[in-house]
């Protein structure tokens, strides 16, 4: 029962990070720059790579407001990527955090954004935990 609750909380936090990535993309931020900067940001370290933070369970747009106070990211004329893909990548990065027990800085170094874009077509249709296992086996 407690494990089910912990898993659901982790799922919510993963969903929040997915939403942050989706919102950033919909704001037409340059995701090639945003993703690594976010993963290495103080915000991510203090609010996502932690046991509990208010930001783990709030609207992605609110978190993004605070993230953009810290990191500078250029805006594009139009979104470069599909928001569904960005949502999946954000979710999976956070799920890797729980499965591999690595911080976000380590994760982005081992599984860079361009690698995640390559993983998406083959892994987005399978169970998220299976996708994470494959990525961890390949990259960690």
């Amino acid at each position: 029962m407690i494990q089910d609750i912990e898993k659901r909380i982790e799922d919510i936090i993963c969903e929040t990070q997915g939403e942050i990535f989706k919102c950033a993309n919909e704001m037409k931020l340059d995701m090639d720059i945003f993703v690594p900067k976010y993963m290495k940001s103080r915000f991510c370290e203090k609010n996502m790579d932690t046991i509990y933070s208010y930001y783990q369970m709030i609207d992605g747009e609110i978190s993004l407001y605070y993230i953009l106070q810290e990191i500078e990211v250029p805006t594009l004329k139009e979104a470069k990527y599909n928001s569904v893909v960005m949502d999946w990548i954000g979710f999976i990065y956070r799920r890797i955090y729980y499965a591999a027990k690595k911080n976000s800085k380590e994760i982005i170094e081992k599984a860079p954004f361009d690698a995640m874009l390559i993983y998406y077509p083959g892994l987005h249709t399978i169970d998220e935990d299976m996708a994470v296992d494959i990525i961890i086996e390949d990259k960690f």
Side-chain angles (χ1 to χ4, degrees):
M1 171 98 168
I2 291 177
Q3 288 176 336
D4 292 340
I5 293 169
E6 288 173 353
K7 174 79 163 117
R8 182 62 195 132
I9 291 169
E10 287 176 6
D11 286 344
I12 291 167
I13 296 167
C14 292
E15 289 165 9
T16 299
Q17 184 162 290
E19 189 178 333
I20 290 168
F21 279 44
K22 178 182 171 188
C23 289
N25 189 63
E26 289 173 353
M27 287 177 62
K28 301 176 187 143
L29 297 179
D30 186 335
M31 297 303 287
D32 296 307
I33 295 171
F34 173 80
V35 173
K37 279 190 166 187
Y38 165 78
M39 295 290 284
K40 295 174 184 176
S41 71
R42 185 174 190 280
F43 178 94
C44 192
E45 177 185 358
K46 299 295 181 194
N47 295 299
M48 300 305 281
D49 292 357
T50 188
I51 294 171
Y52 173 76
S53 168
Y54 164 79
Y55 295 99
Q56 292 172 330
M57 298 189 186
I58 65 168
D59 185 73
E61 284 185 60
I62 296 170
S63 290
L64 195 52
Y65 171 81
Y66 292 101
I67 294 161
L68 294 176
Q69 301 296 310
E70 176 187 347
I71 64 174
E72 213 171 295
V73 181
T75 303
L76 305 173
K77 289 184 181 183
E78 59 184 52
K80 185 174 177 180
Y81 300 105
N82 182 303
S83 289
V84 172
V85 176
M86 295 303 99
D87 191 344
W88 183 86
I89 290 173
F91 183 98
I92 295 297
Y93 270 137
R94 187 59 27 202
R95 176 65 71 217
I96 291 170
Y97 166 81
Y98 291 113
K101 301 196 181 343
K102 304 283 184 194
N103 66 44
S104 294
K105 288 178 186 175
E106 293 173 287
I107 293 168
I108 195 70
E109 294 299 323
K110 298 267 189 187
F113 180 61
D114 59 343
M116 297 300 281
L117 290 167
I118 294 167
Y119 279 121
Y120 177 80
L123 298 182
H124 79 279
T125 59
I126 66 172
D127 176 77
E128 289 101 351
D129 292 328
M130 288 176 58
V132 166
D133 289 345
I134 291 167
I135 295 167
I136 289 172
E137 187 175 315
D138 282 354
K139 297 290 184 181
F140 291 83

